[in-house]
């Protein structure tokens, strides 16, 4: 039997990158997976990959900055599959350009905090009641190495990820005795479209970023997905309030 057999999972930001890889990995481990995101075409592609992995999936168009969308996401999940056991709150955004603290803008601040922080807080708010009906569950939030350290010219992004770390620990303490574990994954640079947009697919910027990882390369979405599956499963049953670094040694320096 697969480790997540008979479980139901939600993955926000599941239309590409880490979210897509995690959705497929959760399905391959036996879970029924509801993929949430704003892009319907890419969402359908993720569902197709889930089907090819032998799993069952459903796409629900969701904007995580809107609480009503997140409430509807949980409601549709329970209506379709009867329960909710796992939530991977992965939807997020990064800075579009380098921005020293003397050049930060209110627009950038509000955009990143709405997605990266409110999108997780509001998701947890609606996921928890559904999980409690089953006696518990596992919530995993996407943080970053930026939630552990400082990064010059990325103050707003780093602030959002520090907030995710704080939300994760606080929710873990509030929910521990109710059978809900709350953890985070904290990746370094992962080979995704987001990274390609930030440093290009090749060139000195990408080479520099790659060189910051002692392991000698960037990570793969599947490597973060494996960590998510472990945190979602009973194999991590005594782990809560933890941020699992998936960073190739980035923060060990």
């Amino acid at each position: 039997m697969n480790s997540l057999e008979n479980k139901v999972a939600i993955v926000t930001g599941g239309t590409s990158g880490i979210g897509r890889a995690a959705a497929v990995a959760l399905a391959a481990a036996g879970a029924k997976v509801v993929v949430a995101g704003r892009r319907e075409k890419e969402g359908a592609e993720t569902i197709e990959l889930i089907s090819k992995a032998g799993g069952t999936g459903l796409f629900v168009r969701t904007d995580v900055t809107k609480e009503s969308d997140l409430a509807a996401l949980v409601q549709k999940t329970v209506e379709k599959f009867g329960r909710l056991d796992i939530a991977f709150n992965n939807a997020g955004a990064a800075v579009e350009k380098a921005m020293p603290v003397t050049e930060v803008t209110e627009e950038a601040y509000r955009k990143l905090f709405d997605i990266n922080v409110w999108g997780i807080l509001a998701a947890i708010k609606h996921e928890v009641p559904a999980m409690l009906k089953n006696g518990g569950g596992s919530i995993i939030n996407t943080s970053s190495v930026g939630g552990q350290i400082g990064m010059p010219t990325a103050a707003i992004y780093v602030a959002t990820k520090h907030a995710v770390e704080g939300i994760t620990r606080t929710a873990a303490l509030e929910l521990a005795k109710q059978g809900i574990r709350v953890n985070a994954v904290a990746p370094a640079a992962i080979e995704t479209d987001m990274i390609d947009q930030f440093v290009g697919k090749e060139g000195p910027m990408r080479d520099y970023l790659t060189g910051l990882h002692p392991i000698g390369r960037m990570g793969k979405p599947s490597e973060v997905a494996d960590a998510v599956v472990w945190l979602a499963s009973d194999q991590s049953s005594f782990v809560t309030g933890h941020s699992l670094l998936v960073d190739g040694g980035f923060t060990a320096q």
Side-chain angles (χ1 to χ4, degrees):
M1 180 181 289
N2 291 332
S3 63
L4 302 179
E5 199 75 37
N6 300 319
K7 302 291 187 180
V8 176
I10 283 174
V11 177
T12 69
T15 55
S16 64
I18 291 170
R20 173 175 284 177
V24 174
L26 288 164
K32 296 178 176 65
V33 182
V34 178
V35 175
R38 292 181 294 182
R39 298 176 295 173
E40 295 187 18
K41 178 177 178 291
E42 289 81 356
E45 291 170 354
T46 300
I47 297 303
E48 184 177 352
L49 290 171
I50 286 172
S51 296
K52 288 180 179 178
T56 300
L58 171 71
F59 175 72
V60 177
R61 191 180 185 283
T62 306
D63 181 344
V64 299
T65 68
K66 298 178 180 178
E67 184 177 351
S68 59
D69 277 20
L70 289 164
L73 169 65
V74 174
Q75 181 180 352
K76 289 174 183 177
T77 298
V78 174
E79 287 175 353
K80 176 68 174 179
F81 296 119
R83 59 189 294 136
L84 176 63
D85 305 282
I86 300 157
F88 181 33
N89 298 320
N90 167 71
V95 289
E96 295 177 354
K97 63 178 182 178
M99 195 176 292
V101 292
T102 54
E103 298 176 15
V104 296
T105 65
E106 182 178 356
E107 179 184 10
Y109 169 86
R110 295 197 182 281
K111 177 182 178 181
L112 261 64
F113 268 82
D114 281 354
I115 297 172
N116 293 0
V117 182
W118 176 243
I120 284 179
L121 267 175
I124 292 172
K125 175 181 176 180
H126 292 280
E127 291 157 358
V128 166
M131 289 183 175
L132 289 176
K133 292 178 181 178
N134 313 322
S138 176
I139 295 173
I140 305 109
N141 302 319
T142 295
S143 180
S144 162
V145 291
Q148 305 279 332
I149 60 176
M151 292 181 170
T153 73
I156 297 174
Y157 176 77
V158 166
T160 67
K161 293 305 182 178
H162 274 69
V164 171
E165 298 278 336
I167 290 166
T168 298
R169 294 187 182 98
T170 299
L173 294 173
E174 290 183 11
L175 300 168
K177 288 185 172 61
Q178 299 177 67
I180 296 178
R181 296 184 297 109
V182 187
N183 294 290
V185 286
I190 305 298
E191 293 178 346
T192 63
D193 291 341
M194 185 181 291
I195 286 291
D196 290 347
Q197 291 168 11
F198 190 63
V199 297
K201 293 186 177 181
E202 58 183 22
M205 283 275 293
R206 191 179 186 94
D207 293 342
Y208 170 73
L209 184 59
T210 300
L212 294 177
H213 301 73
I215 208 167
R217 62 175 176 83
M218 293 188 194
K220 301 174 183 177
S222 61
E223 292 173 312
V224 184
D226 288 342
V228 171
V229 171
W230 181 73
L231 288 171
S233 75
D234 289 341
Q235 291 177 323
S236 60
S237 58
F238 200 56
V239 179
T240 195
H242 179 66
S243 184
L244 178 55
L245 287 160
V246 188
D247 71 347
F250 191 104
T251 58
Q253 302 175 89

